[in-house]
Amino acid sequence: MRPFLLLLPLLFFPNRDGYGAVGPQFEVASLKPNSSPGSRIWLAPPVGDTFSATNVTPRMLISLAWGEFRISGGPAWLNSDRYDLTAKAPDAVPNQERFLAMLRNLLEDRFQLQTHRETKEIPGYALVVSKTGLKLPNANPAGCATFGLKETSQLEGCDGMSAGPGFVYDKRLSMTWFAGVLGNMVSSPVMDQTGYTGSFEVHLEFAPLQGDGSTDSTKPSLFTALQELGLRLESQKVPIQVLVIDHAEKPGDN
């Protein structure tokens, strides 16, 4: 599996309401600074009862734990400091909701996070089916469980994704997850309005956008490349959930 790089989509996951003041916890967790030059970034689904991440920023972990929210505010080191995290769950394979609740509780404890939530409407895109219809490779109407965590025995886990400027590769992903990745590519929220609930394979290569929105590549633009899948992006105002970081502290060695 290729490493899952940087791009953490804005997916909907249940919030921690109902878990009480403490909520579910990892059995044991180690969070340590990573100062190794050249260390690769690695963020992949849990294996059994163990979740690990290497050379990741706190904001990447926060984006994963509060997946339905865009992250706003907080000190600059949330984007620059790097950490290695290893956490062991009390369950052999925790379900999606419980795993993310444990991760939220861990981050709130170790980084002393204080947050609040807001809803804003900003310019973005709707991901819709083109007039030619969907052309999804290896389409499976059964779908897949996001981030590899199985909610039921009928769903296979989505694969870890390899993505970066100019490419997205994945053997199995959901449309909602794909819309979130596209949002990172175009630096604007993308809402899935395709109505497609299954899973599919994607292997897209396109011209990466420059800071001014231009490209310097002979490859097609992302908007053109999406036509290969029978998809297109329509500009529109979209409501987004924002998690505002009011306070965060660097953790001690643990």
Side-chain angles (χ1 to χ4, degrees):
M1 181 187 299
R2 293 174 179 263
F4 178 71
L5 302 178
L6 292 179
L7 299 166
L8 299 177
L10 305 176
L11 302 177
F12 175 79
F13 294 120
N15 62 35
R16 67 192 293 248
D17 297 340
Y19 287 108
V22 178
Q25 306 287 326
F26 286 111
E27 193 170 75
V28 62
S30 171
L31 180 69
K32 297 182 178 180
N34 182 320
S35 56
S36 301
S39 177
R40 69 172 180 169
I41 297 169
W42 177 259
L43 185 59
V47 177
D49 60 0
T50 302
F51 170 69
S52 61
T54 303
N55 197 32
V56 295
T57 65
R59 192 172 295 269
M60 290 170 65
L61 292 171
I62 293 168
S63 294
L64 171 61
W66 281 271
E68 77 271 32
F69 292 93
R70 173 163 293 202
I71 310 301
S72 175
W77 58 262
L78 290 176
N79 296 319
S80 57
D81 286 11
R82 301 281 174 168
Y83 291 88
D84 295 340
L85 171 63
T86 302
K88 185 177 183 297
D91 311 292
V93 182
N95 66 34
Q96 177 173 285
E97 180 178 350
R98 186 171 178 81
F99 164 73
L100 292 174
M102 288 190 290
L103 183 57
R104 288 192 291 266
N105 288 333
L106 173 67
L107 297 177
E108 287 178 341
D109 175 59
R110 299 295 175 89
F111 292 102
Q112 296 298 297
L113 282 179
Q114 296 177 14
T115 65
H116 71 273
R117 305 175 182 192
E118 298 178 356
T119 300
K120 295 183 178 181
E121 193 171 76
I122 66 173
Y125 296 92
L127 181 63
V128 300
V129 179
S130 66
K131 294 180 179 179
T132 58
L134 291 174
K135 305 172 186 176
L136 304 177
N138 294 326
N140 185 341
C144 62
T146 303
F147 207 63
L149 298 170
K150 299 180 180 181
E151 294 293 345
T152 72
S153 59
Q154 280 71 42
L155 288 182
E156 292 187 63
C158 300
D159 283 352
M161 177 181 290
S162 180
F167 70 92
V168 180
Y169 307 141
D170 199 327
K171 290 290 186 181
R172 186 190 303 111
L173 80 165
S174 68
M175 192 66 76
T176 302
W177 183 261
F178 187 46
V181 171
L182 293 176
N184 284 276
M185 296 292 184
V186 298
S187 300
S188 294
V190 174
M191 305 296 290
D192 172 25
Q193 294 184 5
T194 63
Y196 181 75
T197 58
S199 62
F200 61 100
E201 180 179 351
V202 63
H203 187 115
L204 282 185
E205 295 187 2
F206 46 88
L209 291 174
Q210 307 300 313
D212 59 0
S214 65
T215 64
D216 59 358
S217 172
T218 58
K219 293 180 180 179
S221 70
L222 172 60
F223 295 86
T224 300
L226 284 173
Q227 296 176 14
E228 299 175 14
L229 303 175
L231 296 169
R232 61 189 176 91
L233 292 173
E234 289 185 349
S235 297
Q236 65 174 233
K237 290 273 191 177
V238 296
I240 63 166
Q241 294 292 310
V242 179
L243 183 79
V244 181
I245 300 175
D246 300 309
H247 178 81
E249 299 178 12
K250 293 189 178 185
D253 294 336
N254 46 64

